[in-house]
């Protein structure tokens, strides 16, 4: 017998041994040999893994942090069960009218989005009667795309008094009122913070604690604009969590969510901060947004529960999710930042209501094309488009075309940030506004007013929308490209000058001056801003004529001369 070639690889001999075993002893020995080989691999992998863990203490630290945060947080997270309905019985004509209203709403939304998915009467038929599967799927998509959560809930109220099982599949799936949510104990005296939409309109609220104690809860106060509410229970030995600073959160930070998804109480999930400052989520019917976005698994029932950092602090209140249409987590969830939640919770605890600061302007975002006009090196801040009559802004000296850059040294990064900063101020509080006016920075102190229930009720006209130019008998504004889109002004984006925004009650100093004329030159000097025009006019003696070069909306140019005896 020849000697085996020692240079053949070991795996060759192992394979030969298995083949011999198969021939002479059958499957049993093959199985034992295979298991022995696999066990050796498992043992080697286990040893390597243990060695790796020893070399990576951070892994142990993160795992331990998750466990500690869970242990600290869970006793403070409650399950909230609600019952009763805000719906009232409707007669057939009322229901029919409401269906037609939603059909019109959906039809209008389609057209606004440039879609022609279904005519209004077809939508009405789907809403009222329900048809085949294909039609219900089409209606599903319309509902997802067109309605806010509040509108969905209102539509749901149509069905509250009916037999849900008799409804089309669309409604059975979409329009069952949530019967539970989550909350977090923020004060050992029994105060619990949750979402407004969890308890809104409910006649009975019950709270189940982590140790299975159950209590009825009273509503202390609720704020629809931020989707926050405070309830209270009469219980002892409560564990409260403290708030963290949500402004310190950065993308990539680890976070944990605790709540009752699908009624599964005391569920802990983890993820990271995916984004901060998320705004304008059209499917979320909350006026003040600026959400924290996270990929932690948050589902129906998590609403009102806390989002926590690895110090066990509440950095947000979970409020909404983005879905693929099935109502469950798709890796995108939105959380109310703790800094806002804390402020709202304190006001609700103390008075049962929220009092917000009020400035009294119509702000608009700074468009990229506007930055050059205002001398901005980057797109930031908001533009004062109009100042409402008798408002705190006017009393403090804010003017149309001012660019608000910061409030109390907090940068205004955009429109949503501005609205939040103003609303977070207290009525009567004095705040410092840093502005850019005519290319120069200045600071004004404003004593904030009380935000009215209806923000659209403020009064203003063309005069309050512009700046007074006495010498011409007009109200004027610095032209910027975004005015074309906002007001339909006919000048080109590249035009520069001063727009005649309104005329005096008795007309301008010259009948040749008309609203929306663009003044580009005054007495031979180019004009770009209202400030420049006012400076040139201030230097003109009273007995001297004023010569204006004006561009009309249609593109024609004209020269207007105002006589020296104008005063």
């Amino acid at each position: 017998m020849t000697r085996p070639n020692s240079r053949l690889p070991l795996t060759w001999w192992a394979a030969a041994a298995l083949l011999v075993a198969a021939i002479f002893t059958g499957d049993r020995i093959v199985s034992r040999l295979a298991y022995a080989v696999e066990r050796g691999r498992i043992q080697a992998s286990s040893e390597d893994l243990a060695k790796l863990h020893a070399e990576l203490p951070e892994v142990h630290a993160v795992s331990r942090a998750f466990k500690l945060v869970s242990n600290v947080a869970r006793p403070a997270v409650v399950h909230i069960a609600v019952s009763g309905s805000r719906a009232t019985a409707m007669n057939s004509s009322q229901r029919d009218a409401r269906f037609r209203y939603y059909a019109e709403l959906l039809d209008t939304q389609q057209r606004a989005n440039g879609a022609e998915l279904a005519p209004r009467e077809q939508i009405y038929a789907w809403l009222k009667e329900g048809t085949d599967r294909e039609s219900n799927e089409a209606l599903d998509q319309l509902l997802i795309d067109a309605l806010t959560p509040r509108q969905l809930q209102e539509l749901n109220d149509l069905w509250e008094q009916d037999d849900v099982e008799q409804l089309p599949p669309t409604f059975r799936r979409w329009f069952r009122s949530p019967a539970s949510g989550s909350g977090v104990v923020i004060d050992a005296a029994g105060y619990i913070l949750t979402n407004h939409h969890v308890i809104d309109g409910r006649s009975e609220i019950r709270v189940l604690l982590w140790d299975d104690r159950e209590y009825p809860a009273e509503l202390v106060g609720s704020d629809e604009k931020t989707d926050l509410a405070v309830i209270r229970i009469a219980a002892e030995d409560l564990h409260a969590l403290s708030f963290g600073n949500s402004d310190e959160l950065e993308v990539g930070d680890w976070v944990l969510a605790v709540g009752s998804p699908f009624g599964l109480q005391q569920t802990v999930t983890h993820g990271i901060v995916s984004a901060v400052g998320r705004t304008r989520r059209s499917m979320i019917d909350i006026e003040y947004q600026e959400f924290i976005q996270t990929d932690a698994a948050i589902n129906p029932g998590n609403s009102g529960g806390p989002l926590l950092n690895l110090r066990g602090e509440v950095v947000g209140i979970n409020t909404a999710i983005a879905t693929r249409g099935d109502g469950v987590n798709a890796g995108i969830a939105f959380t109310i930042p703790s800094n806002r939640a804390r402020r709202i919770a304190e006001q609700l605890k103390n008075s049962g209501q929220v009092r917000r600061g009020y400035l009294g302007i119509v702000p608009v975002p700074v468009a990229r094309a506007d930055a050059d006009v205002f001398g901005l090196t980057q797109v930031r801040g908001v533009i004062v488009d109009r100042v409402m009559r008798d408002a705190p802004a006017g009393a403090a000296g804010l003017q149309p075309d001012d660019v608000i850059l910061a409030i109390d040294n907090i940068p205004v990064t955009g429109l949503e940030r501005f609205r939040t900063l103003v609303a977070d101020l207290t009525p009567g509080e004095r705040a410092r506004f840093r502005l850019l006016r005519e290319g120069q920075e200045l600071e004004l102190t404003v004593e904030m007013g009380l935000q009215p229930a209806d923000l659209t009720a403020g009064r203003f006209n063309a005069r309050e929308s512009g700046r007074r130019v006495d010498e011409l008998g007009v109200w004027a504004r610095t032209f910027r490209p975004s005015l074309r889109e906002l007001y339909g002004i006919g000048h080109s984006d590249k035009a520069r000058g001063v727009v005649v925004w309104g005329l005096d009650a008795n007309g301008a100093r010259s009948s040749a001056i008309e609203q929306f004329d663009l003044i580009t030159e005054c007495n031979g000097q180019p004009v770009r801003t209202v400030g420049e025009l006012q400076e040139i006019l201030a230097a003109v003696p009273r007995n001297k004529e004023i010569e204006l070069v004006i561009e009309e909306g249609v593109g024609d140019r004209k020269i207007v001369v105002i006589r020296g005896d104008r005063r």
Side-chain angles (χ1 to χ4, degrees):
M1 186 175 185
T2 57
R3 182 177 179 181
N5 188 342
S6 60
R7 290 177 294 178
L8 290 176
L10 181 60
T11 54
W12 188 94
W13 290 111
L18 286 174
L19 178 61
V20 172
I23 295 172
F24 291 101
T25 62
D27 293 342
R28 181 178 298 178
I29 293 179
V30 173
S31 298
R32 290 179 178 175
L33 286 171
Y35 175 70
V37 172
E38 186 63 26
R39 185 172 60 182
R41 292 174 180 168
I42 293 172
Q43 180 64 31
S45 296
S46 297
E47 291 172 356
D48 288 343
L49 188 59
K51 182 179 179 181
L52 179 64
H53 275 215
E55 295 172 353
L56 294 175
E58 294 86 356
V59 174
H60 296 287
V62 172
S63 178
R64 188 163 180 261
F66 285 173
K67 289 185 284 188
L68 289 174
V69 171
S70 299
N71 290 338
V72 169
R74 290 174 61 205
V77 180
V78 305
H79 177 76
I80 299 175
V82 296
S83 59
S85 173
R86 63 182 175 188
T88 58
M90 295 184 183
N91 59 39
S92 60
S93 62
Q94 289 174 319
R95 287 172 181 253
D96 189 78
R98 188 65 66 88
F99 284 135
R100 289 191 180 277
Y101 163 75
Y102 276 102
E104 182 174 353
L105 176 70
L106 288 165
D107 180 76
T108 301
Q109 187 67 31
Q110 286 183 98
R111 297 181 187 280
N113 293 335
E116 290 285 349
L117 299 180
R120 186 175 304 175
E121 288 305 311
Q122 181 63 68
I123 298 171
Y124 169 71
W126 288 344
L127 286 169
K128 188 176 182 182
E129 300 171 4
T131 52
D132 55 22
R133 177 180 176 183
E134 183 179 349
S135 296
N136 274 313
E137 288 176 351
L139 179 56
D140 264 348
Q141 193 58 51
L142 285 180
L143 295 170
I144 295 168
D145 292 341
L147 296 185
T148 66
R150 180 163 303 282
Q151 291 165 340
L152 289 173
Q153 180 62 51
E154 289 176 358
L155 187 54
N156 178 47
D157 290 344
L158 290 171
W159 306 100
E160 290 257 27
Q161 305 302 321
D162 292 340
D163 182 0
V164 174
E165 299 307 320
Q166 299 302 315
L167 301 177
T170 293
F171 296 105
R172 289 206 300 271
R173 181 163 67 255
W174 279 99
F175 299 118
R176 291 181 183 271
S177 298
S180 66
S182 304
V184 56
V185 179
I186 57 172
D187 189 319
Y191 291 98
I192 296 167
L193 181 61
T194 186
N195 281 143
H196 165 82
H197 76 257
V198 170
I199 54 81
D200 182 32
R202 300 300 180 175
S203 59
E204 184 178 3
I205 306 170
R206 299 195 67 82
V207 170
L208 182 65
L209 302 178
W210 73 292
D211 55 7
D212 292 332
R213 288 184 291 164
E214 186 173 346
Y215 296 91
E218 63 171 335
L219 177 61
V220 177
S222 189
D223 182 49
E224 181 179 3
K225 292 183 177 181
T226 56
D227 194 27
L228 291 169
V230 171
I231 60 177
R232 190 178 188 185
I233 59 175
E236 298 179 350
D237 300 323
L238 293 177
H239 172 65
L241 289 180
S242 58
F243 287 101
N245 184 356
S246 55
D247 287 345
E248 294 179 351
L249 284 179
E250 297 182 4
V251 173
D253 281 343
W254 285 107
V255 285
L256 277 73
V258 188
S260 302
F262 303 110
L264 299 172
Q265 301 168 29
Q266 296 292 307
T267 296
V268 180
T269 59
H270 81 282
I272 63 169
V273 174
S274 304
V276 295
R278 287 294 192 210
T279 60
R280 297 185 295 278
R281 301 299 96 192
S282 60
M283 286 297 292
I284 302 176
D285 190 22
I286 300 176
E287 185 168 336
Y288 296 102
Q289 296 197 359
E290 276 202 312
F291 296 119
I292 301 163
Q293 180 185 325
T294 177
D295 67 348
I298 293 173
N299 285 289
N302 273 111
S303 292
L307 191 73
L308 304 133
N309 60 21
L310 293 191
R311 291 191 294 272
E313 299 168 330
V314 177
V315 291
I317 299 297
N318 301 316
T319 191
I321 58 176
T323 77
R324 298 185 180 94
D326 53 6
V328 297
N329 180 275
I332 298 176
F334 300 106
T335 299
I336 301 166
S338 60
N339 287 357
R340 180 185 309 151
R342 180 178 61 248
R343 286 189 291 267
I344 299 299
E346 284 299 318
Q347 291 197 54
L348 292 175
K349 278 176 56 180
N350 295 333
S351 65
Q353 60 182 347
V354 176
R355 301 173 74 247
R356 292 184 169 86
Y358 175 66
L359 186 60
I361 69 169
V362 176
V364 295
V366 177
R368 187 169 300 277
D370 297 336
D372 176 64
V373 175
F374 292 106
L376 292 167
T377 57
Q378 58 182 334
V379 178
R380 59 192 176 111
V382 296
I383 302 169
V384 178
D385 189 60
R386 285 170 284 181
V387 178
M388 293 187 179
R389 192 178 306 170
D390 304 323
L398 270 76
Q399 300 177 3
D401 297 332
D402 284 345
V403 182
I404 301 176
L405 302 176
I407 301 176
D408 285 338
N409 292 324
I410 302 175
V412 175
T413 54
L415 186 58
E416 291 297 328
R417 185 61 168 165
F418 167 77
R419 294 177 67 249
T420 299
L421 289 173
V422 171
D424 284 343
L425 294 168
T426 305
E429 183 177 354
R430 295 173 65 83
R432 290 174 292 115
F433 284 69
R434 182 156 53 87
L435 314 173
L436 186 66
R437 179 184 295 170
E438 302 290 344
Q440 301 295 318
E441 287 195 14
L442 69 152
E443 188 173 282
L444 295 178
T445 299
V446 182
E447 182 174 335
M448 303 304 297
L450 173 63
Q451 185 184 101
D454 183 5
L455 285 174
T456 65
R459 297 175 301 162
F460 52 83
N461 54 34
R463 298 180 181 183
E464 282 78 24
S465 301
R467 291 164 61 182
R468 172 77 178 173
V469 182
D470 288 326
E471 294 84 352
L472 305 182
V474 302
W475 298 77
R477 299 193 65 169
T478 298
F479 176 78
R480 63 180 192 274
S482 60
L483 287 178
R484 296 180 68 248
E485 181 178 350
L486 287 171
Y487 296 101
I489 298 175
H491 305 288
S492 72
D493 283 347
K494 296 182 179 180
R496 293 294 181 266
V498 172
V499 179
V500 176
W501 207 249
L503 310 178
D504 274 355
N506 296 322
R509 302 295 183 189
S510 170
S511 60
I513 298 177
E514 299 178 352
Q515 189 177 28
F516 298 143
D517 278 350
L518 183 69
I519 301 171
T520 59
E521 292 183 23
C522 179
N523 284 359
Q525 300 183 58
V527 172
R528 287 173 55 93
T529 69
V530 175
E532 290 178 357
L533 176 61
Q534 289 175 326
E535 287 182 6
I536 295 170
L537 292 172
V540 178
R542 292 188 179 184
N543 60 342
K544 295 294 184 181
E545 292 181 339
I546 297 173
E547 183 180 280
L548 304 174
V549 176
I550 292 178
E551 179 183 303
E552 296 177 316
V554 294
D556 294 338
R557 299 184 69 189
K558 60 186 178 183
I559 296 177
V560 175
V561 177
I562 298 176
R563 296 175 59 85
D565 58 352
R566 60 191 178 277
R567 295 171 180 166

